[in-house]
C-alpha cells in the first residue's frame, strides 16, 4: 500500500508510525483509518523481525486531535453506526496486535485521538500532551471505544466526569489517573517508547503475545479470562523459548529466545 497519511520508519526492528496530517492536527480521516487498518491487519503482522510499534503524531502540537469532523458532520444514524463500527474494528486490531504497541503522545490526544492512544498497549506522554473526550461538545459520544476503555483505565466515576464535562487534562493528570505509563520531557516520547520496546524485546516473544491476548480477554464480553490464561499458559509450555528460558535460568546464563 502507498501510504499518504502515515509515515513509517523502521529502525532496529521498531516501526515508528507517524500520523502525518499536521495541518488538521493529525485528525483521523477515512484514508488515515484505512492506512492504520492496512498496517495493523496486514503489513505489521508479516514482519517476523518486528519488535514493536510506536504510534505518534507529526509536529509538536498534536498526537491526534480526533476523528476528522469535516467527514462525519452529515451522517445519519445508520451511517454513523457504520462509521463507529469500522473505527472500533480497526482499534481492536491495534489492541490485539501481537507485539507491543506504544502511543508516544506528543500533543493533543482528543476524541478519536485519545481513543487511539487507549487502544495501544502502553502510553508515553510528553509534558505538553493534552487528553480529553470532547465529543459531547459536538452532540456526540465517543464512537471508537472511548466510553469503554476510559472506564477500564481510570474507573467509572472519573470516566463519567471526563466524558460528561469534556474537560481536557494534562499529562501529569493522565499519569495520576493511570491513563499513561510515563510522562517525559517534550520531544523524548518516542525515545522512551523505544526504550520500553527494547526491554520487552529481551523477553520471549510468544509469551509477550500471550500476555497481550490474556489481558485483552479480561475485557472481552463472554470470554473467561482465567480460562484463556490457562490455555495460553499451556501454549507457552509447548514453545522452544520456554525450554530455553528455563534452561538459561538453571545454567545461570542469558536466554536466547527465537520466538518459537
Ligand atoms: N477534525 C478536523 N479538523 C480538525 C480537527 C478535527 N478533529 N481538530 C483540529 N482540526 C483542524 C482545524 O479545523 C484547523 O484547520 P484550519 O487551519 O483549516 O482552520 C486546524 O486543525 C488547527 O486547529 P485549530 O485552529 O482549532 O487549533 P487550535 O490550537 O486553536 O485548537 C484544538 C486546537 C483545541 C485541538 C482544536 O482544534 C479542537 O478543539 N479540535 C477538535 C477536537 C475535537 O473535538 N475532537 C473530537 C472529534 S470527535 C471524535 O473524535 C469522535 C471519534 C469517534 C467518531 C465516531 C464516528 C461517528
Amino acid at each position: 500500500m502507498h501510504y499518504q497519511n502515515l509515515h513509517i520508519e523502521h529502525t532496529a526492528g521498531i516501526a515508528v508510525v507517524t500520523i502525518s496530517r499536521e495541518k488538521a492536527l493529525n485528525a483521523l480521516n477515512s484514508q488515515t483509518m484505512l492506512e492504520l487498518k492496512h498496517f495493523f491487519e496486514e503489513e505489521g503482522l508479516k514482519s517476523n523481525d518486528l519488535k514493536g510499534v510506536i504510534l505518534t503524531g507529526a509536529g509538536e502540537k498534536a498526537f491526534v486531535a480526533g476523528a476528522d469532523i469535516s467527514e462525519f458532520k452529515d451522517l445519519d444514524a445508520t451511517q454513523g453506526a457504520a462509521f463507529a463500527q469500522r473505527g472500533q474494528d480497526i482499534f481492536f486490531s491495534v489492541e490485539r496486535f501481537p507485539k507491543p504497541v506504544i502511543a508516544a503522545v506528543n500533543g493533543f490526544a482528543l476524541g478519536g485521538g485519545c481513543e487511539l492512544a487507549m487502544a495501544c498497549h502502553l502510553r508515553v506522554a510528553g509534558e505538553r500532551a493534552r487528553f480529553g473526550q470532547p465529543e459531547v461538545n459536538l452532540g456526540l459520544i465517543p464512537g471508537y471505544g472511548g466510553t469503554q476503555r476510559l472506564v477500564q483505565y481510570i474507573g467509572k466515576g472519573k470516566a463519567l466526569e471526563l466524558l460528561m464535562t469534556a474537560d481536557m487534562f494534562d499529562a501529569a493528570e493522565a499519569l495520576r489517573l493511570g491513563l499513561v505509563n510515563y510522562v517525559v520531557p517534550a520531544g523524548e516520547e518516542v525515545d522512551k517508547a523505544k526504550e520500553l520496546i527494547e526491554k520487552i524485546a529481551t523477553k520471549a516473544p510468544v509469551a509477550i503475545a500471550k500476555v497481550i491476548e490474556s489481558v485483552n480477554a479480561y475485557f472481552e464480553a463472554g470470554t473467561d479470562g482465567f480460562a484463556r490464561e490457562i490455555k495460553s499458559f499451556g501454549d507457552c509450555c509447548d514453545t522452544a523459548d520456554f525450554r530455553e528460558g528455563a534452561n538459561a535460568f538453571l545454567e545461570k546464563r542469558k536466554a536466547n529466545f527465537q520466538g518459537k
Side-chain angles (χ1 to χ4, degrees):
M1 177 183 220
H2 170 68
Y3 293 103
Q4 293 172 30
N5 299 332
L6 298 187
H7 175 76
I8 304 177
E9 198 180 296
H10 291 267
T11 29
I14 298 175
V16 179
V17 177
T18 305
I19 298 171
S20 302
R21 295 187 72 226
E22 205 176 329
K23 284 193 177 132
L25 301 187
N26 306 320
L28 298 172
N29 64 355
S30 295
Q31 177 64 27
T32 310
M33 291 297 274
L34 265 181
E35 294 179 17
L36 285 171
K37 177 178 167 64
H38 182 80
F39 181 81
F40 284 100
E41 296 181 10
E42 293 185 48
E43 184 182 327
L45 291 174
K46 283 186 195 145
S47 169
N48 283 339
D49 296 336
L50 190 68
K51 294 175 187 164
V53 180
I54 297 169
L55 265 181
T56 193
E60 294 181 356
K61 197 166 165 184
F63 170 69
V64 168
D68 192 314
I69 296 168
S70 65
E71 273 192 354
F72 63 77
K73 65 182 178 44
D74 296 322
L75 299 181
D76 64 21
T78 309
Q79 293 164 328
F83 216 83
Q85 180 74 60
R86 183 203 61 174
Q88 286 199 9
D89 289 346
I90 295 168
F91 285 15
F92 273 128
S93 301
V94 176
E95 188 169 59
R96 292 172 184 157
F97 197 73
K99 312 265 172 77
V101 183
I102 304 185
V105 184
N106 53 313
F108 288 114
L110 302 174
C114 189
E115 291 172 296
L116 179 59
M118 290 194 289
C120 296
H121 302 131
L122 305 176
R123 281 146 299 284
V124 175
E127 277 167 347
R128 286 203 291 262
R130 304 268 288 158
F131 298 82
Q133 295 289 160
E135 285 87 346
V136 292
N137 288 332
L138 303 170
L140 288 175
I141 68 165
Y144 292 166
T147 62
Q148 305 303 295
R149 291 195 181 95
L150 193 61
V151 175
Q152 292 167 9
Y153 287 116
I154 72 172
K156 183 177 174 183
K158 196 66 189 175
L160 274 169
E161 179 191 332
L162 294 171
L163 290 162
M164 292 195 293
T165 61
D167 280 350
M168 272 196 229
F169 52 102
D170 64 13
E173 177 70 351
L175 184 68
R176 199 185 65 75
L177 290 171
L179 185 64
V180 302
N181 299 77
Y182 293 94
V183 177
V184 296
E188 295 179 16
E189 304 87 356
V190 170
D191 286 343
K192 179 66 188 176
K194 281 185 179 168
E195 183 191 312
L196 287 164
I197 289 180
E198 289 294 358
K199 182 187 269 192
I200 296 167
T202 65
K203 320 299 176 194
V206 177
I208 295 301
K210 294 293 178 189
V211 165
I212 293 169
E213 194 185 303
S214 298
V215 171
N216 284 341
Y218 178 81
F219 299 104
E220 276 168 26
T223 298
D224 179 344
F226 286 97
R228 179 73 64 87
E229 184 184 277
I230 288 169
K231 164 86 172 66
S232 293
F233 183 89
D235 290 345
C236 287
C237 290
D238 250 356
T239 61
D241 280 351
F242 167 52
R243 313 264 169 262
E244 168 63 9
N247 286 332
F249 174 79
L250 295 171
E251 292 161 16
K252 302 193 188 307
R253 61 175 173 83
K254 205 164 158 281
N256 180 19
F257 294 121
Q258 303 296 323
K260 292 177 187 152

